[in-house]
Amino acid sequence: MGFFFLPILPTAFECMVECTYPIPEEVTNGIMLSIGNIVSIGATFLWQALIDAQGHNYKGTFVPYNYIQIALIVGAGVFLMPFNGEYRRLDAEKTHMETQEQLIDPMEKSDATMESV
């Protein structure tokens, strides 16, 4: 799983920063990583309890852990597929650029007027 999820992390960080702007990037990244670590610690104890309950003599192809993990991945996918977050940082940058253009335009018009005189 780490092989497939590790490349997704930069995209997840970027999307999270875009959607939580103006909160600093460091804060949102720290919160996301902390929540991930807390969930992982809980999952480790849960998976160990499942292994102990099943015993090490489980003969099936998939152990109960695999079924729970697949259900969590599918559940997360169902929750995330319709996500269409508002890119607040991108919107703020566009607004800033438009404001800068409006400030520059009057200056250019006055320079053009002075040259024609």
Side-chain angles (χ1 to χ4, degrees), residues 2 7 13 26 75 81-82 97 103:
F13 285 145
E26 298 83 9
M81 289 302 282
M97 292 302 290
L103 291 175

Side-chain angles (χ1 to χ4, degrees), residues 31-73:
I31 290 171
M32 186 171 109
L33 290 173
S34 297
I35 290 172
N37 286 334
I38 291 168
V39 169
S40 296
I41 290 169
T44 300
F45 287 115
L46 175 65
W47 304 155
Q48 187 61 46
L50 286 172
I51 290 171
D52 292 342
Q54 263 320 306
H56 295 285
N57 299 326
Y58 190 77
K59 302 292 184 203
T61 305
F62 285 101
V63 295
Y65 159 78
N66 296 120
Y67 294 116
I68 293 172
Q69 196 69 18
I70 290 169
L72 289 173
I73 292 170

Side-chain angles (χ1 to χ4, degrees), residues 14-28:
E14 185 66 25
C15 182
M16 178 190 53
V17 167
E18 287 285 342
C19 293
T20 59
Y21 182 82
I23 298 172
E25 298 174 13
E26 298 83 9
V27 173
T28 54

